[in-house]
Amino acid sequence: MFGVPRTTLRDRVSGHVNHDKAVVGGAPILSLDEERVLVDYVETLAQLGYGLTNERLKHWQATWSSRLEEKRTTNQ
C-alpha cells in the first residue's frame, strides 16, 4: 500500500517501532546556499539536454554530502 514495504507496516502495527524516537525531518544536510548551487547546476544540465535520473541525483547528493561533511570536520 502506497509503496511501503509490508515489513515496515507490520513492525509499526505490532509496536516494534518506538514512535517517540522517530525523526520526522532531521537536520538539513546542505545549507540554503549549498542547495541553491546544486539546484542551479542541475537546472543548467537540464537546459543543455543532459537528462538526470532520480538515482543519479541521489548518487550525486550522497557524494556531495559526504565531501561537505569531510570538509566541515577538517575545518573545525
Side-chain angles (χ1 to χ4, degrees), residues 43-54:
E43 286 178 347
T44 301
L45 289 176
Q47 289 171 356
L48 294 173
Y50 183 72
L52 297 174
T53 63
N54 193 27

Side-chain angles (χ1 to χ4, degrees), residues 3-63:
V4 178
R6 287 183 183 267
T7 54
T8 301
L9 294 173
R10 186 178 61 235
D11 289 346
R12 287 193 175 268
V13 171
S14 65
H16 291 129
V17 176
N18 185 349
H19 298 286
D20 295 332
K21 291 186 178 181
V23 177
V24 174
I29 296 173
L30 303 175
S31 71
L32 291 177
D33 290 337
E34 293 165 339
E35 188 175 328
R36 173 48 48 200
V37 169
L38 183 59
V39 168
D40 289 344
Y41 181 67
V42 171
E43 286 178 347
T44 301
L45 289 176
Q47 289 171 356
L48 294 173
Y50 183 72
L52 297 174
T53 63
N54 193 27
E55 290 302 314
R56 186 68 178 164
L57 286 173
K58 287 179 185 178
H59 174 75
W60 281 356
Q61 183 272 332
T63 302

